[in-house]
Amino acid sequence: MRPLRATGGGATMEEGCGTPVAGGRLRGPGAFDGAAERRTAMTVCEVCGNDYARGFDVHIDGAVHSFDCVECAAHLLAPTCENCRCRILGHGLEAAGRFFCCAHCARTRGVRELADSVA
């Protein structure tokens, strides 16, 4: 999994949302402390171009991406199922660098060793 670090509104969100970080701030839900209203610069979403005071940045693979909403972030960053072309927002499945949303799609593309669950 790629390291992910999102910042916005004076807070820091990283994997493990809702846990304290240095300085006592929270990551994740409830972390925004009103700093977005105090900022003079607006975040401009690189997907839709909307400028929004509560936008956020995602740091991934050494690059920084700016978004106004999670939907735009997913549109740009989420992997796409090789079979049905949907965006994989959950865990998904991966085999030899190929991404699938479910075992059915993997089997459709000839990947037999993946399963949605083990019974």
Side-chain angles (χ1 to χ4, degrees):
M1 177 181 273
R2 300 182 291 183
L4 172 66
R5 180 173 172 261
T7 59
T12 299
M13 293 184 291
E14 297 178 4
E15 291 178 323
C17 291
T19 57
V21 294
R25 294 188 330 197
L26 290 177
R27 292 188 279 199
F32 297 103
D33 60 4
E37 287 80 7
R38 293 190 298 274
R39 291 189 296 172
T40 56
M42 304 277 274
T43 299
V44 176
C45 179
E46 65 184 77
V47 174
C48 70
N50 185 30
D51 54 348
Y52 187 55
R54 291 181 181 256
F56 59 95
D57 295 326
V58 175
H59 301 247
I60 190 167
D61 293 336
V64 179
H65 301 279
S66 298
F67 304 103
D68 68 333
C69 64
V70 173
E71 182 179 6
C72 286
H75 177 77
L76 184 70
L77 300 175
T80 302
C81 176
E82 183 179 305
N83 184 60
C84 71
R85 310 305 300 162
C86 76
R87 292 290 179 182
I88 303 169
L89 301 180
H91 294 283
L93 301 169
E94 181 180 1
R98 299 167 67 191
F99 293 94
F100 303 97
C101 64
C102 63
H104 169 79
C105 282
R107 283 191 306 273
T108 300
R109 293 295 177 140
V111 179
R112 305 273 181 239
E113 65 272 13
L114 297 178
D116 289 322
S117 63
V118 178

